[in-house]
Amino acid sequence: MLFDLEKASGAVAYKLLTGLVAPRPIALITSMDAEGRLNAAPFSAFNYLCTDPAIVGVGISNRPEAAGVLKDTGLNILATREFVVNVVTEDIADKMNICATEFPHEESELEAAGFTTAASAVVKTPRLAEAHAALECRLYQVIDMPRSKIVLGQVVSVYVEDRFVDPKGPYVKAEELHAMGRMNGLGNYARTRDAYVTINRFKYEDWKRGRE
Ligand SMILES: Cc1cc2nc3c(=O)[nH]c(=O)nc-3n(C[C@H](O)[C@H](O)[C@H](O)COP(=O)(O)O)c2cc1C
């Protein structure tokens, strides 16, 4: 099948792209409003985009039920110019899912999910104590879209629980972290436990020699 996305609706693009750009990392973002009220919500329109400087990008759409109103996470980031990306692993996936519920602004999804917080090293917004790794970000740039915003954040500090760090790199022991990936918008996820394969890259000369 061929889909002409210049003619199709955004809903069609959403269904196709979330099924094909997968598995996607999930940023469970903690953010604060101007009064210091804390918010947590997952975003899988997310990736790192640059390492020098360290930039991550997040696509945050408007609230589905309120036309033209950005989701709380987006409003908070615009207000405080900072946020924290908590890495979603298997053990906190169910809690993450509770945070995706459209809670009213004054109700805490963190409490509902049973998350607690820990102070961040650089930004005021705390990280989630139950998350094994977190990226502290300052707002770098906002790209306005008709019904959403693309937020670029500069990562100013990275927290990783000691047991998941190989200090030689420093590398993340990703095969032990058990991060989850989102596979579509239908509630399907990929586990990375027992799914690890190593595919080493090789130099052109080695590839050529292998074919001789
Ligand atoms: C795994 C997962 C990934 C999600 N990714 C996004 C996303 O990339 N962009 C978005 O706007 N909403 C995304 N959502 C929906 C938001 O998490 C949901 O609308 C949430 O209630 C927003 O909360 P907030 O208004 O407190 O920011 C995702 C939901 C789930 C479960």
Side-chain angles (χ1 to χ4, degrees), residues 1-5 12 16 20:
M1 279 191 199
L2 197 59
F3 301 90
D4 182 351
L5 287 199
V12 171
L16 294 173
L20 293 172

Side-chain angles (χ1 to χ4, degrees), residues 11 13 15 28 30 40 66 75 98 112 118 124 131 134-135 137 160 163 176:
K15 287 172 195 158
L28 180 50
T30 39
L75 294 175
I98 294 171
K124 290 200 188 85
L135 314 176
C137 302
V160 190
R163 64 188 165 119
E176 292 175 22

Side-chain angles (χ1 to χ4, degrees), residues 88-109:
V88 175
T89 47
E90 258 182 52
D91 52 343
I92 61 167
D94 288 334
K95 285 188 165 69
M96 171 281 292
N97 194 38
I98 294 171
C99 293
T101 305
E102 306 280 344
F103 284 91
H105 184 72
E106 58 287 356
E107 238 177 89
S108 166
E109 48 275 279

Side-chain angles (χ1 to χ4, degrees), residues 3-197:
F3 301 90
D4 182 351
L5 287 199
E6 287 185 312
K7 298 201 180 96
S9 69
V12 171
Y14 173 81
K15 287 172 195 158
L16 294 173
L17 292 183
T18 54
L20 293 172
V21 185
R24 281 185 306 292
I26 307 165
L28 180 50
I29 296 184
T30 39
S31 63
M32 283 193 314
D33 68 11
E35 283 75 47
R37 273 188 298 254
L38 196 58
N39 186 86
F43 292 85
S44 67
F46 164 73
N47 218 310
Y48 92 83
L49 302 173
C50 182
T51 51
D52 186 18
I55 300 290
V56 292
V58 192
I60 304 176
S61 63
N62 289 344
R63 292 179 79 105
E65 80 291 359
V69 181
L70 192 61
K71 290 180 184 177
D72 287 339
T73 300
L75 294 175
N76 289 352
I77 294 171
L78 295 180
T80 63
R81 303 187 65 81
E82 60 170 51
F83 59 99
V84 176
V85 170
N86 299 274
V87 174
V88 175
T89 47
E90 258 182 52
D91 52 343
I92 61 167
D94 288 334
K95 285 188 165 69
M96 171 281 292
N97 194 38
I98 294 171
C99 293
T101 305
E102 306 280 344
F103 284 91
H105 184 72
E106 58 287 356
E107 238 177 89
S108 166
E109 48 275 279
L110 270 104
E111 267 174 42
F115 275 126
T116 59
T117 58
S120 289
V122 175
V123 301
K124 290 200 188 85
T125 308
R127 61 181 169 83
L128 297 173
E130 290 75 14
H132 305 294
L135 314 176
E136 296 180 31
C137 302
R138 286 211 183 99
L139 181 59
Y140 183 83
Q141 194 181 328
V142 179
I143 303 167
D144 287 313
M145 295 291 162
R147 283 163 293 282
S148 64
K149 297 210 186 289
I150 295 171
V151 167
L152 302 184
Q154 178 162 3
V155 184
V156 290
S157 182
V158 175
Y159 163 78
V160 190
E161 217 175 290
D162 288 353
R163 64 188 165 119
F164 296 115
V165 181
D166 173 356
K168 279 201 291 286
Y171 298 110
V172 175
K173 293 182 186 169
E175 69 281 18
E176 292 175 22
L177 189 60
H178 304 318
M180 296 281 289
R182 196 185 195 199
M183 295 307 293
N184 51 33
L186 298 170
N188 295 313
Y189 294 88
R191 276 200 294 258
T192 53
R193 183 194 297 268
D194 302 330
Y196 237 75
V197 288

